[in-house]
Amino acid sequence: MGNFHLVRRADYSIKRVIIYYLIGILISLSIGAILLMSLNINPIEYYSRMLSMGLIGNKFAYKNVESLIKIFVPLLITSLALGLAFKMRFWNIGGEGEFLAGAICASVVAFNSKGMNPFLTVLLMCIAAMLSAGLIGLAVAALKVKFNTNETLMTLMLNYIMLYVIKYLGDTKADWNFFLREDSDRPIFGEFPENAEMGGITIGFFTLQYSLIVAVILTVLIYFYIKKTKQGYEISVVGDSAATAKYAGMNVSWIVLRTMFISASLIGLAAGLATSTAGTVSDSITNNVGWTGIIVAWLSKLSIPAIFVTSILISVLQYGCRAAATQYPAIDQNFADILQGIILFSVLVTDFAATFRIAKREEASNG
Amino acid sequence: MRKLISIVLTAVMAVASVLAFTGCSGNAGGEAASSFKVGAIYINSKNDTAGYTYAHHKGITEAMKQCGLDPEKDLYIVDNVPEDDEKVSQAIDQLAGDGCNIIFGISFGYLNAFDEAAKKPEYADIVFSHATGYLSNDSNFNNYFGRIYQARYLAGIAAGYKSLALGNNEIGYVSAWGTEYAETCSGINAFALGAQSVNPDAHVNVYEIYTWGDQEKERQAAEILIDTYGCCVIAQHCDSAQPQIVANEKGVFGCGYNSDMTKEAPESHLCAPVWNWDVYYATAIKAAMEDHTTFMTKVGNYYEGLNAGLVGVSELSANNEPEAQEAIDLATDLMKSGNWDVFSGVKLSFSGEKGAVTMAQADADLVDNTGAVIVAAGGASVDDGVIQGSMNYYVEGVTQVNSAE
């Protein structure tokens, strides 16, 4: 290899970042265009349908906006929560598992809530979800603090454990299993009673779900938590250097435990809200936010306002890709996923190129 | 700097959404009313080349052509939709928004979402049609499925002749599920009864793989049935052609499923029970095109079999015994006439050489494999509800070789 190596650019220029991002998006869209043309599809038509999320000419556009919000809210909250842990250099890649744990516990409340006050039901669902997910996060953090276990492996494996737990619940017909529809001979998840379903503010046909309001308030709160509070400051110090934190007299173990509990229980909250808006649970309830949230957090450089914007963009991208695919017989969901992947990948690559440059080794060593 | 990024990105977002909203207010309903549109929600990809989704997609596109619609333009599909109410609801909203007049959902787990959508007043003009389910309403929501067990009985006849000719009574059956699902259970029973109508000693060994589709498991199951249990014919109720490919490799015979698998197993395949979904889809689309308000009285909950041509067996390959075709034709005609059905107290038996095959009917108890009588001799067929929903036993001569957990 020898002669070349990567150097972090000293001058971080926002202009360059934006230009690089645009180039990245342009390249990915051109690759997509070639693929589309090879399938005899007009790429401009396709992309305009994708960017408008299929809302043009849509008889029930308001419903599609509601669906978009249902995708956006869990992604936003999960990304924020993951961002908190990442800021502390704690690699919580267990968003999926924590989300599922939260979803399961929220459903336990929901399925047994018949006749309860709706507000109280949803509140209880969220608390159950936050506690269960938070405890999982706390357990992983405790193992890390006590035995220095690898949190990446722990959280990763927990994703699969929780996935199989929910699959088991969905596949097992038994008297005790209140998760399933009773009148069906084949196992299928039931629906929550109405009081467990998220309400909203009705504007004409459109219903603005309360979950969106919660998510927006939460974004502001987390922003202030990180920027303005002592705890938020401690998180970034531990993230920069645990030794420094210790030297400054901070209780590092306590900070790790606390932050991981908050991070995981926020993901639980996302799950509580998501099950309530869905009115049911399933093994795909996460919509992969545990994974996508990692991308969102890193694309946003862990900045809270950027996470907010990036979550919107990714939701639009996801929804738009799906909406565009329905109209073209040649394009299936897999193609839409590929296109989405190409776009994300190019943005990540250009982001890398905007932060680093390739330098000749002589420059550095002989100087 | 970060602020600037966020501002720029927000601006992009704002422009996009403005575009979207001006567009929708301008166009809403304009082009939607012009023609009839069909919506479909698939569990797998619409570009599949075999299997369950493929069979339905082929059925819908063929039916649309029969009804004078262009699948390239008038068909809207959301595919790879998991059995998740939230995602199915989203797909329905999308298709409804695209102006679809009838929406088909092909997977059982779409049940709740279809039920909910059909209740919504804004969707009252849309017909919802759900495969393999059991819910419906009076105005715009039906379920549809078919008597595939009749086709399996016919395939059983072909397998019975083969086992008789080989002098080997052991027949294998690779099944996604066993007695947990009436759909698989009734298929196994019908196949066994078909085989026994030719070879009364035929014994069906069921190997359950506990998933609708997993090529590796399907393969292994077929290998075990042939190597350990000495089966001479391998039938299947699972997605891929792997069991047939194994049968071909090991020099035994087989009955596929869903499509004519002779091309995958040229030396061994006998015939396969197949669905002709276009029969239903054409009926449904025609009725909805004429008048969606009379859909439930004209079509209603649809459960047809050989009589409507919804199910059948693929063309018999050259690997079959010479008598098989005649016997299958006789049984087909009898079932089409409506005078006899598989799970009744009357047993068929076939005898005679090619060109002179005869079919006899005799009253006999329908007995399960623990010896309990299900239908007494001469009794009528079990209810459709049992075949579709609650059948949870194997008939005499069927054994599940791997444990039922």
Side-chain angles (χ1 to χ4, degrees), chain B residues 332-390:
Chain B
T332 306
D333 290 342
L334 181 62
M335 280 190 263
K336 273 187 179 169
S337 73
N339 293 329
W340 179 84
D341 207 358
V342 175
F343 302 110
S344 63
V346 179
K347 283 207 163 82
L348 304 186
S349 58
F350 297 92
S351 56
E353 295 291 308
K354 179 179 162 56
V357 173
T358 54
M359 177 172 70
Q361 299 190 31
D363 290 357
D365 291 346
L366 182 66
V367 181
D368 77 8
N369 68 354
T370 62
V373 174
I374 301 154
V375 178
S381 174
V382 300
D383 285 341
D384 288 348
V386 174
I387 300 169
Q388 284 183 286
S390 61

Short mmCIF file of all heavy atoms in Angstrom, two decimals, chain B residues 332-390:
data_model
loop_
_atom_site.label_atom_id
_atom_site.label_comp_id
_atom_site.label_asym_id
_atom_site.label_seq_id
_atom_site.Cartn_x
_atom_site.Cartn_y
_atom_site.Cartn_z
N THR B 332 -62.34 -37.08 -11.73
CA THR B 332 -62.61 -35.67 -11.99
C THR B 332 -64.09 -35.47 -12.35
O THR B 332 -64.77 -34.60 -11.80
CB THR B 332 -61.73 -35.16 -13.15
OG1 THR B 332 -60.38 -35.45 -12.86
CG2 THR B 332 -61.90 -33.66 -13.33
N ASP B 333 -64.56 -36.30 -13.28
CA ASP B 333 -65.95 -36.15 -13.71
C ASP B 333 -66.92 -36.36 -12.54
O ASP B 333 -67.91 -35.64 -12.41
CB ASP B 333 -66.27 -37.16 -14.83
CG ASP B 333 -65.55 -36.80 -16.12
OD1 ASP B 333 -65.11 -35.63 -16.22
OD2 ASP B 333 -65.40 -37.68 -16.99
N LEU B 334 -66.59 -37.34 -11.70
CA LEU B 334 -67.47 -37.63 -10.58
C LEU B 334 -67.51 -36.44 -9.62
O LEU B 334 -68.59 -36.03 -9.15
CB LEU B 334 -66.98 -38.89 -9.85
CG LEU B 334 -67.83 -39.33 -8.65
CD1 LEU B 334 -69.24 -39.68 -9.12
CD2 LEU B 334 -67.20 -40.53 -7.95
N MET B 335 -66.33 -35.87 -9.33
CA MET B 335 -66.31 -34.73 -8.41
C MET B 335 -66.97 -33.51 -9.03
O MET B 335 -67.66 -32.76 -8.36
CB MET B 335 -64.87 -34.43 -7.99
CG MET B 335 -64.38 -35.37 -6.90
SD MET B 335 -62.81 -34.87 -6.19
CE MET B 335 -61.66 -35.88 -7.09
N LYS B 336 -66.78 -33.33 -10.34
CA LYS B 336 -67.41 -32.20 -11.01
C LYS B 336 -68.94 -32.31 -10.95
O LYS B 336 -69.64 -31.33 -10.85
CB LYS B 336 -66.98 -32.15 -12.49
CG LYS B 336 -65.70 -31.38 -12.73
CD LYS B 336 -65.47 -31.28 -14.23
CE LYS B 336 -64.22 -30.49 -14.54
NZ LYS B 336 -63.88 -30.62 -15.97
N SER B 337 -69.42 -33.56 -11.02
CA SER B 337 -70.87 -33.75 -11.02
C SER B 337 -71.48 -33.37 -9.68
O SER B 337 -72.69 -33.15 -9.58
CB SER B 337 -71.18 -35.23 -11.32
OG SER B 337 -70.86 -36.02 -10.18
N GLY B 338 -70.64 -33.33 -8.63
CA GLY B 338 -71.15 -32.95 -7.31
C GLY B 338 -71.78 -34.11 -6.57
O GLY B 338 -72.32 -33.95 -5.48
N ASN B 339 -71.70 -35.33 -7.13
CA ASN B 339 -72.32 -36.48 -6.48
C ASN B 339 -71.43 -37.16 -5.45
O ASN B 339 -71.85 -38.07 -4.76
CB ASN B 339 -72.73 -37.53 -7.52
CG ASN B 339 -73.83 -36.99 -8.41
OD1 ASN B 339 -74.65 -36.18 -7.96
ND2 ASN B 339 -73.83 -37.39 -9.67
N TRP B 340 -70.19 -36.75 -5.40
CA TRP B 340 -69.27 -37.41 -4.48
C TRP B 340 -68.19 -36.43 -4.08
O TRP B 340 -67.81 -35.56 -4.87
CB TRP B 340 -68.62 -38.63 -5.17
CG TRP B 340 -67.65 -39.36 -4.30
CD1 TRP B 340 -67.93 -40.31 -3.38
CD2 TRP B 340 -66.23 -39.15 -4.24
NE1 TRP B 340 -66.79 -40.73 -2.75
CE2 TRP B 340 -65.72 -40.03 -3.25
CE3 TRP B 340 -65.33 -38.32 -4.92
CZ2 TRP B 340 -64.38 -40.11 -2.93
CZ3 TRP B 340 -63.99 -38.39 -4.59
CH2 TRP B 340 -63.52 -39.29 -3.61
N ASP B 341 -67.73 -36.51 -2.85
CA ASP B 341 -66.56 -35.71 -2.49
C ASP B 341 -65.61 -36.53 -1.63
O ASP B 341 -65.97 -37.59 -1.10
CB ASP B 341 -66.97 -34.41 -1.79
CG ASP B 341 -65.92 -33.32 -1.99
OD1 ASP B 341 -64.89 -33.59 -2.64
OD2 ASP B 341 -66.13 -32.20 -1.51
N VAL B 342 -64.41 -36.01 -1.50
CA VAL B 342 -63.30 -36.79 -0.96
C VAL B 342 -63.55 -37.30 0.46
O VAL B 342 -63.37 -38.49 0.74
CB VAL B 342 -62.01 -35.95 -0.99
CG1 VAL B 342 -60.86 -36.69 -0.31
CG2 VAL B 342 -61.63 -35.61 -2.43
N PHE B 343 -64.00 -36.39 1.33
CA PHE B 343 -64.10 -36.77 2.75
C PHE B 343 -65.52 -37.24 3.09
O PHE B 343 -66.20 -36.67 3.94
CB PHE B 343 -63.70 -35.61 3.65
CG PHE B 343 -62.30 -35.14 3.39
CD1 PHE B 343 -62.05 -33.92 2.79
CD2 PHE B 343 -61.22 -35.94 3.74
CE1 PHE B 343 -60.75 -33.50 2.55
CE2 PHE B 343 -59.92 -35.53 3.50
CZ PHE B 343 -59.69 -34.30 2.90
N SER B 344 -65.97 -38.27 2.39
CA SER B 344 -67.32 -38.78 2.65
C SER B 344 -67.23 -40.25 3.08
O SER B 344 -66.14 -40.82 3.13
CB SER B 344 -68.19 -38.65 1.39
OG SER B 344 -67.65 -39.45 0.37
N GLY B 345 -68.37 -40.84 3.34
CA GLY B 345 -68.41 -42.24 3.77
C GLY B 345 -68.47 -43.21 2.60
O GLY B 345 -68.90 -44.35 2.75
N VAL B 346 -68.07 -42.72 1.42
CA VAL B 346 -68.04 -43.59 0.25
C VAL B 346 -66.63 -43.57 -0.31
O VAL B 346 -66.05 -42.51 -0.51
CB VAL B 346 -69.03 -43.08 -0.84
CG1 VAL B 346 -68.97 -43.99 -2.06
CG2 VAL B 346 -70.44 -43.00 -0.27
N LYS B 347 -66.08 -44.79 -0.52
CA LYS B 347 -64.71 -44.86 -1.06
C LYS B 347 -64.74 -45.27 -2.52
O LYS B 347 -65.52 -46.11 -2.94
CB LYS B 347 -63.89 -45.88 -0.26
CG LYS B 347 -63.44 -45.36 1.09
CD LYS B 347 -62.15 -46.06 1.54
CE LYS B 347 -61.46 -45.29 2.64
NZ LYS B 347 -62.02 -45.54 3.96
N LEU B 348 -63.86 -44.66 -3.29
CA LEU B 348 -63.71 -45.06 -4.69
C LEU B 348 -62.61 -46.11 -4.78
O LEU B 348 -61.70 -46.16 -3.95
CB LEU B 348 -63.30 -43.87 -5.55
CG LEU B 348 -64.19 -42.63 -5.53
CD1 LEU B 348 -63.69 -41.63 -6.56
CD2 LEU B 348 -65.64 -43.01 -5.82
N SER B 349 -62.72 -46.99 -5.79
CA SER B 349 -61.58 -47.86 -6.08
C SER B 349 -61.49 -48.06 -7.58
O SER B 349 -62.51 -48.08 -8.28
CB SER B 349 -61.72 -49.20 -5.35
OG SER B 349 -62.92 -49.81 -5.74
N PHE B 350 -60.28 -48.15 -8.06
CA PHE B 350 -60.06 -48.24 -9.50
C PHE B 350 -59.42 -49.59 -9.84
O PHE B 350 -58.56 -50.09 -9.09
CB PHE B 350 -59.14 -47.12 -9.98
CG PHE B 350 -59.74 -45.76 -9.77
CD1 PHE B 350 -59.50 -45.04 -8.60
CD2 PHE B 350 -60.59 -45.22 -10.72
CE1 PHE B 350 -60.07 -43.80 -8.40
CE2 PHE B 350 -61.18 -43.98 -10.52
CZ PHE B 350 -60.92 -43.28 -9.36
N SER B 351 -59.83 -50.17 -10.94
CA SER B 351 -59.21 -51.42 -11.37
C SER B 351 -59.29 -51.51 -12.88
O SER B 351 -59.99 -50.73 -13.52
CB SER B 351 -59.93 -52.62 -10.72
OG SER B 351 -61.30 -52.54 -11.04
N GLY B 352 -58.59 -52.47 -13.43
CA GLY B 352 -58.65 -52.69 -14.88
C GLY B 352 -57.43 -52.15 -15.59
O GLY B 352 -56.71 -51.30 -15.10
N GLU B 353 -57.22 -52.72 -16.79
CA GLU B 353 -56.07 -52.34 -17.61
C GLU B 353 -56.34 -51.03 -18.32
O GLU B 353 -57.48 -50.56 -18.37
CB GLU B 353 -55.81 -53.44 -18.66
CG GLU B 353 -55.41 -54.78 -18.08
CD GLU B 353 -54.02 -54.74 -17.47
OE1 GLU B 353 -53.07 -54.29 -18.15
OE2 GLU B 353 -53.89 -55.13 -16.28
N LYS B 354 -55.28 -50.47 -18.90
CA LYS B 354 -55.43 -49.26 -19.71
C LYS B 354 -56.47 -49.48 -20.80
O LYS B 354 -56.49 -50.54 -21.45
CB LYS B 354 -54.08 -48.93 -20.36
CG LYS B 354 -54.10 -47.69 -21.25
CD LYS B 354 -52.70 -47.47 -21.82
CE LYS B 354 -52.63 -46.57 -23.02
NZ LYS B 354 -53.13 -45.27 -23.00
N GLY B 355 -57.36 -48.53 -20.95
CA GLY B 355 -58.42 -48.65 -21.95
C GLY B 355 -59.69 -49.22 -21.37
O GLY B 355 -60.76 -49.09 -21.95
N ALA B 356 -59.56 -49.88 -20.20
CA ALA B 356 -60.75 -50.48 -19.59
C ALA B 356 -60.76 -50.25 -18.08
O ALA B 356 -61.16 -51.10 -17.31
CB ALA B 356 -60.80 -51.97 -19.90
N VAL B 357 -60.28 -49.08 -17.66
CA VAL B 357 -60.25 -48.80 -16.23
C VAL B 357 -61.67 -48.56 -15.74
O VAL B 357 -62.44 -47.83 -16.35
CB VAL B 357 -59.38 -47.56 -15.95
CG1 VAL B 357 -59.47 -47.15 -14.48
CG2 VAL B 357 -57.94 -47.80 -16.35
N THR B 358 -62.02 -49.20 -14.63
CA THR B 358 -63.35 -49.00 -14.08
C THR B 358 -63.25 -48.43 -12.67
O THR B 358 -62.27 -48.64 -11.96
CB THR B 358 -64.14 -50.31 -14.01
OG1 THR B 358 -63.35 -51.26 -13.29
CG2 THR B 358 -64.46 -50.83 -15.39
N MET B 359 -64.30 -47.70 -12.30
CA MET B 359 -64.32 -47.08 -10.99
C MET B 359 -65.50 -47.66 -10.21
O MET B 359 -66.60 -47.78 -10.73
CB MET B 359 -64.51 -45.57 -11.15
CG MET B 359 -64.63 -44.81 -9.85
SD MET B 359 -64.62 -43.03 -10.18
CE MET B 359 -66.21 -42.82 -10.95
N ALA B 360 -65.24 -48.09 -8.98
CA ALA B 360 -66.32 -48.62 -8.15
C ALA B 360 -66.49 -47.75 -6.93
O ALA B 360 -65.53 -47.18 -6.42
CB ALA B 360 -65.99 -50.05 -7.74
N GLN B 361 -67.73 -47.61 -6.45
CA GLN B 361 -67.99 -46.88 -5.21
C GLN B 361 -68.48 -47.86 -4.16
O GLN B 361 -69.31 -48.71 -4.45
CB GLN B 361 -69.07 -45.81 -5.42
CG GLN B 361 -68.69 -44.77 -6.44
CD GLN B 361 -69.67 -43.60 -6.44
OE1 GLN B 361 -70.24 -43.27 -5.41
NE2 GLN B 361 -69.86 -42.99 -7.60
N ALA B 362 -67.94 -47.75 -2.96
CA ALA B 362 -68.40 -48.64 -1.88
C ALA B 362 -68.50 -47.85 -0.60
O ALA B 362 -67.65 -47.02 -0.29
CB ALA B 362 -67.41 -49.79 -1.73
N ASP B 363 -69.55 -48.10 0.18
CA ASP B 363 -69.69 -47.44 1.47
C ASP B 363 -68.63 -47.96 2.42
O ASP B 363 -68.42 -49.17 2.54
CB ASP B 363 -71.08 -47.73 2.06
CG ASP B 363 -72.17 -47.00 1.29
OD1 ASP B 363 -71.81 -46.25 0.35
OD2 ASP B 363 -73.36 -47.19 1.61
N ALA B 364 -67.95 -47.04 3.09
CA ALA B 364 -66.95 -47.45 4.08
C ALA B 364 -66.74 -46.30 5.05
O ALA B 364 -66.84 -45.13 4.67
CB ALA B 364 -65.64 -47.80 3.39
N ASP B 365 -66.44 -46.63 6.31
CA ASP B 365 -66.17 -45.59 7.29
C ASP B 365 -64.94 -44.78 6.88
O ASP B 365 -63.97 -45.34 6.38
CB ASP B 365 -65.88 -46.20 8.67
CG ASP B 365 -67.13 -46.83 9.28
OD1 ASP B 365 -68.24 -46.54 8.76
OD2 ASP B 365 -67.00 -47.60 10.25
N LEU B 366 -65.01 -43.46 7.12
CA LEU B 366 -63.80 -42.64 7.00
C LEU B 366 -63.19 -42.63 8.40
O LEU B 366 -63.81 -42.15 9.35
CB LEU B 366 -64.15 -41.23 6.53
CG LEU B 366 -62.97 -40.28 6.32
CD1 LEU B 366 -62.10 -40.76 5.17
CD2 LEU B 366 -63.45 -38.87 6.05
N VAL B 367 -61.99 -43.22 8.51
CA VAL B 367 -61.41 -43.46 9.83
C VAL B 367 -60.11 -42.68 9.96
O VAL B 367 -59.34 -42.59 9.00
CB VAL B 367 -61.12 -44.98 9.99
CG1 VAL B 367 -60.54 -45.27 11.35
CG2 VAL B 367 -62.39 -45.77 9.76
N ASP B 368 -59.87 -42.11 11.12
CA ASP B 368 -58.58 -41.42 11.30
C ASP B 368 -57.51 -42.42 11.73
O ASP B 368 -57.81 -43.61 11.94
CB ASP B 368 -58.71 -40.23 12.25
CG ASP B 368 -58.77 -40.63 13.72
OD1 ASP B 368 -58.56 -41.82 14.02
OD2 ASP B 368 -59.04 -39.75 14.54
N ASN B 369 -56.29 -41.99 11.86
CA ASN B 369 -55.21 -42.97 12.06
C ASN B 369 -55.10 -43.47 13.51
O ASN B 369 -54.20 -44.23 13.84
CB ASN B 369 -53.87 -42.46 11.52
CG ASN B 369 -53.34 -41.29 12.31
OD1 ASN B 369 -54.01 -40.78 13.21
ND2 ASN B 369 -52.14 -40.84 11.97
N THR B 370 -56.06 -43.03 14.37
CA THR B 370 -56.13 -43.66 15.69
C THR B 370 -57.28 -44.65 15.73
O THR B 370 -57.52 -45.29 16.76
CB THR B 370 -56.38 -42.61 16.79
OG1 THR B 370 -57.64 -41.98 16.53
CG2 THR B 370 -55.29 -41.55 16.81
N GLY B 371 -58.01 -44.77 14.62
CA GLY B 371 -59.12 -45.72 14.55
C GLY B 371 -60.48 -45.10 14.79
O GLY B 371 -61.50 -45.76 14.66
N ALA B 372 -60.53 -43.82 15.14
CA ALA B 372 -61.82 -43.17 15.38
C ALA B 372 -62.54 -42.91 14.06
O ALA B 372 -61.92 -42.54 13.07
CB ALA B 372 -61.60 -41.85 16.12
N VAL B 373 -63.88 -43.11 14.09
CA VAL B 373 -64.65 -42.92 12.87
C VAL B 373 -65.01 -41.44 12.72
O VAL B 373 -65.55 -40.82 13.63
CB VAL B 373 -65.94 -43.77 12.90
CG1 VAL B 373 -66.82 -43.46 11.69
CG2 VAL B 373 -65.59 -45.24 12.96
N ILE B 374 -64.70 -40.87 11.56
CA ILE B 374 -65.01 -39.46 11.31
C ILE B 374 -66.34 -39.35 10.59
O ILE B 374 -67.20 -38.56 10.94
CB ILE B 374 -63.89 -38.81 10.48
CG1 ILE B 374 -62.57 -38.93 11.22
CG2 ILE B 374 -64.21 -37.36 10.18
CD1 ILE B 374 -61.38 -38.92 10.30
N VAL B 375 -66.49 -40.16 9.54
CA VAL B 375 -67.76 -40.20 8.83
C VAL B 375 -68.15 -41.68 8.72
O VAL B 375 -67.35 -42.49 8.25
CB VAL B 375 -67.65 -39.57 7.43
CG1 VAL B 375 -68.98 -39.68 6.68
CG2 VAL B 375 -67.19 -38.12 7.50
N ALA B 376 -69.36 -41.99 9.15
CA ALA B 376 -69.79 -43.39 9.09
C ALA B 376 -70.03 -43.79 7.64
O ALA B 376 -70.26 -42.94 6.78
CB ALA B 376 -71.06 -43.57 9.90
N ALA B 377 -69.99 -45.10 7.38
CA ALA B 377 -70.15 -45.61 6.02
C ALA B 377 -71.41 -45.04 5.39
O ALA B 377 -72.47 -45.02 6.00
CB ALA B 377 -70.21 -47.13 6.06
N GLY B 378 -71.26 -44.54 4.18
CA GLY B 378 -72.40 -43.99 3.45
C GLY B 378 -72.72 -42.55 3.79
O GLY B 378 -73.55 -41.93 3.14
N GLY B 379 -72.05 -42.00 4.80
CA GLY B 379 -72.35 -40.64 5.23
C GLY B 379 -71.88 -39.59 4.25
O GLY B 379 -71.07 -39.85 3.36
N ALA B 380 -72.42 -38.37 4.42
CA ALA B 380 -72.06 -37.26 3.54
C ALA B 380 -70.69 -36.71 3.92
O ALA B 380 -70.18 -36.97 5.00
CB ALA B 380 -73.11 -36.16 3.63
N SER B 381 -70.13 -35.92 3.02
CA SER B 381 -68.80 -35.35 3.22
C SER B 381 -68.78 -34.43 4.44
O SER B 381 -69.80 -33.85 4.81
CB SER B 381 -68.40 -34.55 1.99
OG SER B 381 -67.19 -33.88 2.20
N VAL B 382 -67.64 -34.30 5.09
CA VAL B 382 -67.52 -33.37 6.21
C VAL B 382 -67.76 -31.95 5.70
O VAL B 382 -67.62 -31.67 4.51
CB VAL B 382 -66.13 -33.46 6.90
CG1 VAL B 382 -65.89 -34.84 7.44
CG2 VAL B 382 -65.03 -33.05 5.94
N ASP B 383 -68.10 -31.06 6.62
CA ASP B 383 -68.41 -29.68 6.23
C ASP B 383 -67.19 -28.97 5.65
O ASP B 383 -66.07 -29.26 6.01
CB ASP B 383 -68.87 -28.88 7.46
CG ASP B 383 -70.28 -29.25 7.86
OD1 ASP B 383 -71.00 -29.82 7.01
OD2 ASP B 383 -70.64 -28.99 9.02
N ASP B 384 -67.49 -27.98 4.79
CA ASP B 384 -66.41 -27.14 4.26
C ASP B 384 -65.66 -26.46 5.39
O ASP B 384 -64.45 -26.27 5.31
CB ASP B 384 -66.99 -26.08 3.32
CG ASP B 384 -67.45 -26.70 2.01
OD1 ASP B 384 -67.11 -27.88 1.77
OD2 ASP B 384 -68.14 -26.01 1.25
N GLY B 385 -66.38 -26.09 6.43
CA GLY B 385 -65.75 -25.42 7.56
C GLY B 385 -64.65 -26.28 8.18
O GLY B 385 -63.63 -25.77 8.62
N VAL B 386 -64.89 -27.60 8.21
CA VAL B 386 -63.90 -28.51 8.76
C VAL B 386 -62.67 -28.56 7.85
O VAL B 386 -61.53 -28.47 8.30
CB VAL B 386 -64.51 -29.92 8.93
CG1 VAL B 386 -63.44 -30.91 9.37
CG2 VAL B 386 -65.67 -29.88 9.89
N ILE B 387 -62.95 -28.67 6.53
CA ILE B 387 -61.85 -28.79 5.58
C ILE B 387 -61.00 -27.52 5.61
O ILE B 387 -59.78 -27.55 5.53
CB ILE B 387 -62.40 -29.04 4.16
CG1 ILE B 387 -63.21 -30.34 4.15
CG2 ILE B 387 -61.27 -29.11 3.16
CD1 ILE B 387 -64.01 -30.55 2.89
N GLN B 388 -61.68 -26.37 5.75
CA GLN B 388 -60.95 -25.11 5.71
C GLN B 388 -60.37 -24.70 7.06
O GLN B 388 -59.40 -23.98 7.12
CB GLN B 388 -61.89 -23.98 5.25
CG GLN B 388 -62.19 -24.01 3.78
CD GLN B 388 -63.05 -22.83 3.39
OE1 GLN B 388 -64.23 -22.80 3.66
NE2 GLN B 388 -62.45 -21.86 2.75
N GLY B 389 -61.04 -25.14 8.12
CA GLY B 389 -60.65 -24.56 9.40
C GLY B 389 -60.22 -25.49 10.51
O GLY B 389 -59.23 -25.25 11.18
N SER B 390 -60.98 -26.58 10.71
CA SER B 390 -60.72 -27.30 11.96
C SER B 390 -60.23 -28.74 11.79
O SER B 390 -60.08 -29.46 12.76
CB SER B 390 -62.00 -27.30 12.82
OG SER B 390 -63.03 -27.94 12.12
#
